[in-house]
Amino acid sequence: MLPLYVTSGEPAGIGPDICLSLADRTDERPIVVLADLQMLKDRAKILQKKIELIEYKGQIEILPQGQLYVEHVPLNTDVVLGELNPQNAAYVLEQLHRSAEYAMQGKSVGVATAPVQKSVINDAGIHFSGHTEYYQEFAGVERVVMMLATKTLRVALATTHLPLREVTDAITTIRLQQVIDILLRDLKNKFQIAKPRVLVCGLNPHAGEGGYLGHEEIEVINPVLEQYRARGEKLSLCLPADTLFTPEHLQHADAVLAMYHDQGLPVLKSQGFGEAINITLGLPFIRTSVDHGTALSLAGTGQAKSSSLHVAVDLALSLAHSL
């Protein structure tokens, strides 16, 4: 039986706090947290959590509530709650390295990730764009797709962290084909949706309004969508984003494809912030993540909410079961 690995992320933030809450679970598959064992013990003491942390060395037992497997990843220096330290950047990246390596080697079913702080890794002189890009490069795949999901809505992105002025140039025929191929494949294979129904946002207001508000829908996006529709795929043509997210439309959709980050994600997060998760499509393994940041000011206070991590773990285990 293969475990699911969970990275604890930035040690000065809430990642260790929410990972400790995994000891409250009883799952049919082992969950292993990647973290400095003593740091996690110290955090449990601060939070007054009576948890038995067991160093993981390949065991396959299902632990009872109150116990949690931890694979020890040594810190570079002591942690001060809420204070970022570039000396621990390598520690954070070692978590990602191990989780990706184990997944690629078939030693785990995948990974769920707690938040990291990109700025402090870059402050350490290490170029780091984020979890998604790290796993993409490690796996050697040309493109991945970011999809966020709640219990009732899935939103995939054609572009991710780009300045708004660069989005139009990034919406190309090739990119759209790559994104749609990955989205449809993973909805079918990982989510077991035989004929995914996908609603597609136009790039411009009113989906270009027949060319009066932009030509990208006419010249680039709809021609690509027509190709997939001709093959029998259930994709809409471009729809105005301001009305696409109404219940009437969404009740018939398995996912929405938004053209840029702030077109789709504000709607999704307004519906389920704290219950939403990030899924990286296109990887040869399962990767889910929380929908929030490191929340440095909440570290060690007991006020951090762990719901998003539990939803991420739930989905990762569910996807592993269906494969």
Side-chain angles (χ1 to χ4, degrees):
M1 183 186 301
L2 298 175
L4 173 73
Y5 277 87
V6 178
T7 63
S8 58
E10 169 53 50
I14 64 170
D17 303 38
I18 61 177
C19 283
L20 287 169
S21 73
L22 298 174
D24 298 332
R25 300 174 61 99
T26 52
D27 293 290
E28 296 180 357
R29 186 180 295 276
I31 295 174
V32 181
V33 174
L34 289 160
D36 184 283
L37 184 57
Q38 187 58 52
M39 181 272 293
L40 217 53
K41 288 180 178 179
D42 293 342
R43 193 67 60 91
K45 186 175 181 180
I46 291 170
L47 294 170
Q48 298 182 343
K49 287 182 173 290
K50 295 182 179 180
I51 299 171
E52 183 181 359
L53 300 175
I54 300 171
E55 187 169 1
Y56 182 74
K57 295 183 178 178
Q59 307 97 310
I60 57 171
E61 288 185 64
I62 303 301
L63 297 179
Q65 284 186 335
Q67 295 182 345
L68 182 64
Y69 281 130
V70 180
E71 180 171 321
H72 178 59
V73 182
L75 282 162
N76 287 28
T77 190
D78 291 341
V79 174
V80 178
L81 293 178
E83 294 186 15
L84 298 171
N85 191 330
Q87 292 185 55
N88 279 323
Y91 161 78
V92 174
L93 292 179
E94 177 62 18
Q95 298 174 43
L96 306 191
H97 176 84
R98 291 194 197 186
S99 66
E101 185 173 56
Y102 296 153
M104 291 292 290
Q105 292 177 349
K107 295 180 179 179
S108 76
V109 295
V111 57
T113 57
V116 300
Q117 189 90 11
K118 288 181 279 191
S119 61
V120 74
I121 298 173
N122 283 281
D123 287 345
I126 304 168
H127 176 69
F128 181 74
S129 300
H131 277 112
T132 302
E133 293 82 2
Y134 183 93
Y135 287 126
Q136 176 184 1
E137 183 176 349
F138 195 101
V141 294
E142 183 176 358
R143 187 171 299 285
V144 293
V145 174
M146 180 186 292
M147 183 171 79
L148 272 77
T150 65
K151 293 180 180 179
T152 58
L153 178 62
R154 302 182 186 97
V155 176
L157 301 178
T159 63
T160 52
H161 300 121
L162 286 179
L164 197 55
R165 67 171 63 248
E166 296 178 17
V167 168
T168 299
D169 290 340
I171 302 294
T172 64
T173 296
I174 293 175
R175 178 189 282 263
L176 286 174
Q177 290 171 337
Q178 291 173 332
V179 167
I180 293 170
D181 284 345
I182 291 169
L183 176 60
L184 292 177
R185 183 177 68 239
D186 277 10
L187 287 174
K188 292 174 183 178
N189 296 339
K190 290 182 178 177
F191 288 84
Q192 304 295 301
I193 302 172
K195 280 286 186 179
R197 299 164 298 176
V198 179
L199 301 181
V200 182
C201 296
L203 174 65
N204 296 295
H206 301 176
E209 203 164 295
Y212 288 99
L213 294 176
H215 293 85
E216 287 80 11
E217 289 79 6
I218 296 171
E219 296 175 359
V220 180
I221 307 172
N222 278 339
V224 171
L225 298 175
E226 291 281 18
Q227 295 172 8
Y228 288 90
R229 289 161 62 91
R231 300 176 204 165
E233 300 291 356
K234 295 182 179 296
L235 276 74
S236 74
L237 294 178
C238 288
L239 296 170
D242 62 345
T243 54
L244 180 155
F245 287 99
T246 59
E248 179 182 1
H249 282 99
L250 292 179
Q251 67 179 332
H252 302 298
D254 296 302
V256 172
L257 177 60
M259 291 297 110
Y260 55 94
H261 187 280
D262 282 13
Q263 183 181 55
L265 298 194
V267 180
L268 181 136
K269 291 192 177 186
S270 70
Q271 290 191 9
F273 190 72
E275 301 291 337
I277 54 171
N278 185 345
I279 310 131
T280 305
L281 306 180
L283 292 172
F285 56 86
I286 295 163
R287 183 261 167 160
T288 63
S289 182
V290 297
D291 70 341
H292 57 75
T294 53
L296 296 169
S297 63
L298 298 181
T301 66
Q303 297 177 29
K305 294 182 178 180
S306 59
S307 52
S308 182
L309 179 62
H310 285 270
V311 177
V313 168
D314 287 341
L315 179 59
L317 293 174
S318 175
L319 294 176
H321 181 74
S322 67
L323 295 179

